[in-house]
Amino acid sequence: MTVALGASAYSVAVFHLMTHAFFKALLFLGAGSVIMGMHHNQDIRYMGAVRKYMPITWITSLLGSLALIGTPFFSGFYSKDSIIEAVHESNLAAAGFANFAVLAGVFVTAFYSFRMYFLVFHGKERYDQNPDAHHGDHHDDHESHSPHESPWVVTVPLILLAIPSVVIGFMTIQPMLFGEFFKDAIFIDAEKHAGMKILTEAFHGPVAMALHAVSTAPFWLALAGVVVAWYMYLINPAVPAAMGRALRPLVVLLENKYYMDWINENILARGARALGSGLWKVGDRTLIDGLLVNGSWKLVGMVSNWTRKLQTGYLYHYALVMILGIFLLMTYFVWLNK
Amino acid sequence: MGMLSLAIWTPIAFGIVLLALGRDEQAQSVRWLSLVGAIVSFLVTLPLYAGFKLDTADMQFVEKASWIERFNVNYHLGVDGISLWLIILTAFINVVVIIAGWEVITRKVNQYMAAFLILSGLMIGVFSALDGLLFYVFFEATLIPMYLIIGIWGGPNKIYAAFKFFLYTLLGSLLTLIALIFLYIQSGGSFDIATWHELPLSATAQNFLFFAFFAAFAVKVPMWPVHTWLPDVHVEAPTGGSAVLAAIMLKLGAYGFLRFSMPIAPDAAHEWGTFMIVLSLVAVIYVGLVAMVQQDMKKLVAYSSVAHMGFVTLGFFIFSPLGVSGGLVQMIAHGFVSAGMFLSIGVLYDRVHSREIASYGGVVNTMPKFAAFALLFAMANCGLPGTAGFVGEWMVILGAVKFDFVVGLLAASALIFGAAYTLWMYKRVYLGSVTNDDVKELTDINAREFTVMALLAVAVLYMGLYPKPFTDVMEVSVANLLEHVAVSKLP
């Protein structure tokens, strides 16, 4: 979506936001349905063959995944393909890199979506391999580990979201991108950003767009992603395992999210606490309260302690001081102040 | 008797009756009488809002009678858009703390209740006084009931706290007395604040006055670096005392800046504006960081009060309508929110007798209703949109960004600290699993505590969702004040 904004294809960005809302909501609810069906296990390594137990969740998730990877005629196809086209036509400096990035993204998206899809819904059942599942106490039937389809409150929304995930792009691409939907709400300087103009000229209806896509790179990249996922996770799981070993440092870096959490926790949060603690102990307690506030009453106490010693109440002390005073004054006036 | 006199003297009269007649044997009737007194005192402030004219910056509901003729001191009262909501807030918080102290206080109940009623009347007096000496009398008189509240019903270290509170604030305000006498002489024998507003003054005189007032008001707000009395006092004060202290007493200082420092010494206020902004920013950032590392909940909220009041003074000294109104809104909002925060701590303290964050954990499991209220106040304390805390902070930050981008950026960054210390405390006290037996045996809030929380929660949400009644009242008076402050008074 932000790529589309970068290419000044604002209507495409909003269009993608809308199609994405349907299929991503569908996928999240599908995931939730699977997690409920799997008795609150959400580790896809310990799923598999769920399609047999949760048919509605299976079909709707498949539709959502197909929409997500941009299968022609699905809603995601129309918005994603338009974005790719817009970037392709853009003449901005970084458009070449963006073009490469979105194409690579197509492959990666297809790969990871279908990795999840295959691991969850196909393959062998791996429910009893989960080391954590046996001491889970939030489900009643400890005997049965097999999943179950979710109740209607879950499946009905899944179906309702699956319908637009499939058809909404087909139905609305014409008015939203090339029609009057936005009217004057969006302004594009066609001189500088010709992308939308070229897109409009090339558009000959949603059917033609989908058929044409079969001969373009994104379609084949997406297909390749699906096939690679299928091969690696259903046919030959040794491949990803070997890759994981070979790229161990990279895996560790990514598993730790580039150590961003560590930096947050240990440098930013700990630093802020250390700073606060320093300001409090040194600034507030030692300097302001210790030195100035309590220091001033101690000073007052000291001065009064001192002056109190002068007020002895003994007449001979006062007389002595008086004589000394007279002596000093006379010395001053008689000898020094000539 | 005028409406303002009624608002001042009704609670004081009830307080005196309670002092004279109340005995601990009849504690229950004493409580009911105090509640009736507080509610009546609150109701008599409502006609002030109903009858308030929004389109004028003049003083309204003015009352004037000669008091000390020899020195031309008058009993002169009035409200404008700056003071109106503070008066209503004072009377409202008074009702809340009377209910909050219901079963908690069992010793000298009549004196406790009377102290709060009298304090409330005196603070309304501060907000409505138009005569300098009358203001000073009310301003200083508020120290006495608060001193007693801390010193009698406070925690183990109450005497130290009460003395610190009294001496710290008195020291500041004595300079103010000299400033008032100076103004009396300069103006040729008048204690009328409005006359002082028009009085031409040399730059030296203005600087002297600005810092004399600063000594009193900055301690009261409190601004960094004269804030260290507040955490100590809050820790020792009883819950109701903390609530009134944070909700109203701090506002006396901020109000003083608007009524005295800025209009009487506008040139000095401009000259020292940067100084004030820097102090305010130190308050929001430095104190925000200090709040984060506190182990004691009351200390944490006390430091958060200092940070929030930093927003108020920041708003004032950027000299823009947004900033000053924002500061005023923040004052009202902080009144509701800090009262809610302190009363929440009080609810826990009454049950477990500890204010340490480490003594709690997982309170939500045993006190779900209470935890929900506490979450609302915590969210308001970090300035979540939709709560009272957001409105003022947002206005001040907007004003600050317009004034100077860096100032705005620093002020806005303080919001992160606000969220960090408040939510971190919330997480450690309320969330997670039950950590000890004390928490396991907690019982949820009863009907009385629910009433207290609900009153404040409604106020917090109402102000957050619909702040118009608050800002409408302020608009004309703030504009008038800024117009006045923009004009140099140098002769």
Side-chain angles (χ1 to χ4, degrees):
Chain A
M1 189 212 83
T2 46
V3 170
L5 291 180
S8 291
Y10 306 116
S11 55
V12 181
V14 178
F15 179 51
H16 185 59
L17 208 60
M18 187 265 292
T19 60
H20 179 266
F22 287 114
F23 58 73
K24 195 47 73 66
L26 170 64
L27 285 171
F28 267 117
L29 288 187
S33 174
V34 170
I35 292 166
M36 276 168 62
M38 293 299 304
H39 312 289
H40 297 278
N41 166 36
Q42 55 187 85
D43 191 330
I44 58 173
R45 289 174 298 177
Y46 307 115
M47 295 183 184
V50 173
R51 71 180 195 284
K52 282 188 287 186
Y53 306 98
M54 308 180 72
I56 300 174
T57 308
W58 165 48
I59 293 294
T60 50
S61 296
L62 175 61
L63 293 174
S65 303
L66 288 171
L68 176 73
I69 69 170
T71 313
F73 294 105
F74 283 69
S75 63
F77 160 74
Y78 290 102
S79 57
K80 279 178 80 173
D81 216 50
S82 303
I83 292 174
I84 294 166
E85 278 302 306
V87 173
H88 189 69
E89 301 301 342
S90 171
N91 45 13
L92 292 172
F97 172 73
N99 197 21
F100 164 76
V102 286
L103 286 177
V106 168
F107 173 78
V108 173
T109 308
F111 177 71
Y112 71 68
S113 322
F114 274 81
R115 169 182 175 262
M116 179 176 84
Y117 169 77
F118 288 132
L119 282 176
V120 173
F121 293 104
H122 294 265
K124 284 200 277 296
E125 301 179 7
R126 300 179 299 275
Y127 316 132
D128 44 5
Q129 293 170 17
N130 188 351
D132 301 326
H134 295 285
H135 8 97
D137 54 348
H138 29 233
H139 42 94
D140 321 314
D141 45 345
H142 279 266
E143 321 310 321
S144 142
H145 289 292
S146 56
H148 52 79
E149 181 60 281
S150 301
W152 65 272
V153 285
V154 178
T155 53
V156 170
L158 285 175
I159 296 166
L160 290 180
L161 282 168
I163 298 165
S165 295
V166 177
V167 302
I168 197 81
F170 184 86
M171 285 163 62
T172 57
I173 182 167
Q174 160 71 34
M176 278 191 74
L177 296 199
F178 314 113
E180 286 290 286
F181 184 79
F182 288 109
K183 288 208 175 70
D184 300 331
I186 289 176
F187 170 78
I188 298 166
D189 184 353
E191 294 288 305
K192 286 187 192 139
H193 307 285
M196 279 317 290
K197 203 157 150 269
I198 299 169
L199 246 63
T200 313
E201 283 158 7
F203 183 74
H204 303 293
V207 178
M209 184 175 169
L211 292 177
H212 171 73
V214 180
S215 65
T216 60
F219 173 78
W220 293 102
L221 283 169
L223 191 62
V226 175
V227 170
V228 171
W230 169 76
Y231 177 75
M232 281 171 65
Y233 292 96
L234 284 187
I235 305 300
N236 195 353
V239 176
M243 281 171 70
R245 279 192 300 276
L247 300 171
R248 189 69 204 150
L250 188 65
V251 171
V252 171
L253 182 69
L254 292 176
E255 270 179 349
N256 287 292
K257 298 157 217 155
Y258 303 102
Y259 292 95
M260 281 310 286
D261 282 352
W262 185 90
I263 291 171
N264 276 333
E265 186 62 41
N266 288 289
I267 297 179
L268 296 183
R270 189 169 290 179
R273 286 200 298 269
L275 191 60
S277 170
L279 290 173
W280 178 44
K281 288 185 180 138
V282 178
D284 261 36
R285 289 223 304 226
T286 311
L287 291 179
I288 298 174
D289 232 19
L291 199 68
L292 297 177
V293 178
N294 292 342
S296 59
W297 72 252
K298 276 183 193 142
L299 188 71
V300 170
M302 244 162 63
V303 171
S304 33
N305 221 356
W306 238 29
T307 46
R308 197 181 56 189
K309 287 191 180 127
L310 297 178
Q311 324 289 318
T312 57
Y314 295 117
L315 196 61
Y316 52 84
H317 283 172
Y318 294 168
L320 179 69
V321 171
M322 222 159 82
I323 291 163
L324 282 174
I326 291 168
F327 175 71
L328 283 174
L329 284 173
M330 281 181 68
T331 315
Y332 177 75
F333 282 114
V334 176
W335 298 98
L336 299 174
N337 195 25
K338 280 184 195 153
Chain B
M1 206 178 205
M3 290 315 304
L4 281 171
S5 287
L6 215 55
I8 296 172
W9 299 109
T10 311
I12 296 182
F14 271 98
I16 291 170
V17 169
L18 283 168
L19 281 183
L21 302 179
R23 299 281 176 277
D24 270 0
E25 294 82 66
Q26 323 138 355
Q28 204 56 21
S29 17
V30 164
R31 290 178 183 123
W32 280 106
L33 183 62
S34 343
L35 182 62
V36 170
I39 291 175
V40 171
S41 311
F42 174 59
L43 292 179
V44 297
T45 61
L46 293 181
L48 293 175
Y49 178 70
F52 190 81
K53 290 191 242 1
L54 293 175
D55 49 2
T56 169
D58 292 341
M59 287 295 165
Q60 306 185 28
F61 301 97
V62 175
E63 293 169 38
K64 191 168 184 179
S66 186
W67 178 24
I68 308 170
E69 273 174 60
R70 170 74 179 76
F71 297 108
N72 194 15
V73 180
N74 292 303
Y75 177 77
H76 189 180
L77 304 173
V79 283
D80 64 356
I82 292 170
S83 49
L84 176 69
W85 273 107
L86 293 168
I87 291 173
I88 300 174
L89 173 73
T90 308
F92 175 79
I93 294 293
N94 193 36
V95 178
V96 172
V97 294
I98 295 277
I99 306 176
W102 204 258
E103 294 144 16
V104 184
I105 301 298
T106 49
R107 208 160 47 86
K108 301 182 182 149
V109 182
N110 63 322
Q111 295 173 22
Y112 179 85
M113 299 295 184
F116 278 101
L117 284 163
I118 293 171
L119 180 60
S120 146
L122 294 174
M123 290 190 298
I124 292 176
V126 175
F127 291 130
S128 49
L130 295 182
D131 183 277
L133 201 68
L134 184 67
F135 173 91
Y136 188 77
V137 168
F138 278 130
F139 191 80
E140 293 301 284
T142 57
L143 290 181
I144 300 166
M146 190 44 105
Y147 173 78
L148 295 175
I149 289 168
I150 300 162
I152 297 175
W153 294 276
N157 208 4
K158 59 193 179 187
I159 302 297
Y160 172 75
F163 268 88
K164 194 168 185 177
F165 166 73
F166 200 99
L167 286 179
Y168 224 126
T169 48
L170 186 74
L171 191 72
S173 41
L174 285 178
L175 259 176
T176 301
L177 182 63
I178 299 170
L180 296 181
I181 295 168
F182 176 79
L183 279 166
Y184 172 75
I185 295 165
Q186 287 288 311
S187 61
S190 170
F191 273 112
D192 184 34
I193 296 175
T195 311
W196 291 349
H197 285 186
E198 305 304 329
L199 189 68
L201 289 162
S202 72
T204 327
Q206 288 201 25
N207 281 339
F208 159 71
L209 285 170
F210 186 81
F211 278 96
F213 287 131
F214 176 80
F217 301 142
V219 168
K220 207 77 163 191
V221 165
M223 294 180 76
W224 186 89
V226 284
H227 64 286
T228 56
W229 61 275
L230 191 70
D232 282 339
V233 169
H234 270 308
V235 166
E236 299 304 327
T239 303
S242 282
V244 169
L245 185 63
I248 319 288
M249 282 204 104
L250 306 187
K251 277 75 194 180
L252 301 181
Y255 172 78
F257 279 120
L258 287 187
R259 191 63 90 213
F260 288 87
S261 310
M262 289 166 70
I264 292 178
D267 300 289
H270 279 291
E271 197 182 328
W272 295 100
T274 315
F275 169 76
M276 299 295 285
I277 288 171
V278 169
L279 286 191
S280 307
L281 286 176
V282 171
V284 293
I285 295 168
Y286 170 115
V287 174
L289 281 166
V290 170
M292 210 180 297
V293 295
Q294 297 305 314
Q295 306 297 322
D296 181 308
M297 290 192 280
K298 265 191 157 179
K299 264 202 173 145
L300 192 150
V301 180
Y303 274 111
S304 106
S305 284
V306 180
H308 283 109
M309 292 307 286
F311 269 99
V312 174
T313 45
L314 174 67
F316 288 173
F317 283 89
I318 56 181
F319 298 102
S320 77
L322 259 178
V324 176
S325 316
L328 274 169
V329 169
Q330 171 82 341
M331 278 160 76
I332 313 284
H334 181 256
F336 295 132
V337 176
S338 64
M341 295 290 285
F342 278 116
L343 293 172
S344 302
I345 297 171
V347 166
L348 289 174
Y349 184 80
D350 293 340
R351 287 165 171 72
V352 180
H353 298 286
S354 167
R355 293 179 311 262
E356 293 291 313
I357 293 174
S359 312
Y360 299 91
V363 171
V364 67
N365 298 301
T366 42
M367 303 178 76
K369 275 188 274 179
F370 169 63
F373 279 119
L375 182 64
L376 175 70
F377 298 132
M379 288 301 181
N381 203 43
C382 10
L384 191 81
T387 63
F390 174 70
V391 188
E393 280 180 7
W394 181 78
M395 288 168 81
V396 170
I397 288 174
L398 195 61
V401 169
K402 283 183 179 170
F403 170 78
D404 183 303
F405 181 75
V406 176
V407 171
L409 185 73
L410 288 173
S413 74
L415 294 180
I416 299 171
F417 300 132
Y421 59 71
T422 314
L423 295 184
W424 195 32
M425 174 177 88
Y426 191 85
K427 179 201 145 202
R428 285 179 292 168
V429 171
Y430 295 93
L431 303 183
S433 47
V434 173
T435 47
N436 60 43
D437 289 346
D438 283 340
V439 176
K440 200 184 281 173
E441 284 157 18
L442 284 176
T443 47
D444 210 339
I445 43 176
N446 59 28
R448 177 186 61 84
E449 288 163 327
F450 190 91
T451 314
V452 170
M453 297 278 147
L455 279 174
L456 287 167
V458 167
V460 165
L461 283 175
Y462 182 81
M463 192 172 177
L465 295 172
Y466 193 66
K468 197 167 181 290
F470 298 88
T471 49
D472 273 357
V473 164
M474 295 160 189
E475 205 179 330
V476 180
S477 297
V478 167
N480 181 60
L481 173 77
L482 286 169
E483 226 169 83
H484 176 84
V485 173
V487 180
S488 171
K489 277 175 66 175
L490 296 172

